[in-house]
Amino acid sequence: GPLEETAIPLFFGWFLCPSFQEKLKSMAKDFLKTLAGLEAFKKHLSDFTGEAEKEVDLEKFFQDKGMLHCTTKFCDYGKAEGSKEYAEQQSVKDRYGNMSELTLSALFLTPRTLGARVSLSEEQLQLWPTGAEKEAVPDANLPIGSRAHVTLGCAEGVEPVQTGLDLLELVQLQQQGQEGEQVEDLELGSLTYYGKGMWVLSLKEPTVAPACFSSYYG
Ligand code: ACK
């Protein structure tokens, strides 16, 4: 009967330690503050507002989406394809509840989402579901794990699933050799503009985020 079965969660992922969540949030806040003051950003402000000359408060523009985490497998309580197989995978069972260190290599924003890019280690990639990138961008050959991210905020009416899709769009541009417009060297790293309101801050020193591999039921 259903009571003997293991319930499949909404999603599996790495959940950032509470103290680090605060650290990352304030890092993102500082980044937005710096960005808002740059002439180069003001020049492209209409990407965010839809009209020139209009002010935007980036900190209000991106709404908090709760607990900071890096999704591995979105299961939708078993309704998502491959979720049962994922939940039963040996590496998932073995690592469940274990701590891990996530490497954050960049911060990025688009008119829809604000996120941190996660560079997964070989070991962490063992928990990465097959097809996560193909499912999102079937026509491209994107590196496994390139969708890995932490959603830091979303524009009004935008669902957090969009953050990973925006990241893949950026990864695709980089893969196609688009260098973007290197705008500025900031304290945290170099800032690049990729057009259409897409900005990437590559961190000079990747930030290490302690996180716990677990799942979320909601
Ligand atoms: O920010 P995220 O990675 O984007 O974390 C949330 C989490 O699952 C709970 O909603 C992510 N998510 C939602 N739908 C999908 C999907 N179809 N594929 C992959 N991740 C998803 C969302």
Side-chain angles (χ1 to χ4, degrees):
L3 290 179
E4 284 111 62
E5 278 172 35
T6 312
I8 297 178
L10 181 62
F11 66 94
F12 285 89
W14 289 281
F15 295 82
L16 272 53
C17 291
S19 60
F20 189 83
Q21 293 198 26
E22 290 317 307
K23 197 179 151 197
L24 184 56
K25 279 184 193 170
S26 80
M27 191 173 146
K29 210 172 171 171
D30 290 346
F31 169 51
L32 292 183
K33 218 173 262 164
T34 305
L35 195 60
L38 296 179
E39 283 310 316
F41 184 76
K42 289 184 196 163
K43 205 171 84 189
H44 296 291
L45 206 56
S46 60
D47 293 340
F48 286 82
T49 58
E51 40 190 302
E53 310 295 330
K54 205 177 154 194
E55 296 269 320
V56 63
D57 182 341
L58 288 176
E59 282 175 57
K60 293 205 181 97
F61 186 86
F62 293 110
Q63 301 171 355
D64 218 312
K65 288 293 163 186
M67 211 182 345
L68 300 186
H69 67 273
C70 173
T71 305
T72 52
K73 177 70 183 170
F74 178 70
C75 295
D76 200 11
Y77 307 110
K79 284 186 286 219
E81 201 187 317
S83 49
K84 191 161 186 283
E85 292 77 1
Y86 183 85
E88 286 170 357
Q89 200 174 298
Q90 198 56 44
S91 58
V92 170
K93 289 182 182 169
D94 289 347
R95 266 3 131 54
Y96 199 83
N98 284 9
M99 293 297 297
S100 197
E101 286 186 334
L102 297 179
T103 300
L104 310 182
S105 54
L107 297 179
F108 60 92
L109 70 153
T110 75
R112 301 165 295 279
T113 64
L114 170 68
R117 184 171 187 181
V118 178
S119 298
L120 299 174
S121 67
E122 283 300 320
E123 202 186 349
Q124 289 163 345
L125 279 171
Q126 291 170 11
L127 294 170
W128 194 249
T130 34
E133 286 76 24
K134 266 272 175 260
E135 179 188 285
V137 195
D139 304 334
N141 239 334
L142 300 172
I144 290 168
S146 55
R147 188 177 179 172
H149 68 279
V150 175
T151 296
L152 297 169
C154 294
E156 200 180 337
V158 174
E159 295 292 332
V161 63
Q162 187 62 43
T163 317
L165 304 179
D166 285 356
L167 174 57
L168 287 182
E169 192 176 341
L170 282 162
V171 171
Q172 218 177 343
L173 289 175
Q174 289 170 342
Q175 200 188 42
Q176 288 161 0
Q178 280 217 33
E179 283 169 21
E181 180 188 331
Q182 181 123 354
V183 170
E184 202 122 2
D185 261 325
L186 302 177
E187 204 180 309
L188 286 174
S190 66
L191 179 69
T192 307
Y193 178 62
Y194 284 91
K196 293 191 286 176
M198 299 192 291
W199 297 84
V200 178
L201 175 73
S202 301
L203 298 175
K204 224 181 318 192
E205 306 212 358
T207 302
V208 175
C212 177
F213 181 66
S214 183
S215 63
Y216 181 82
Y217 285 87

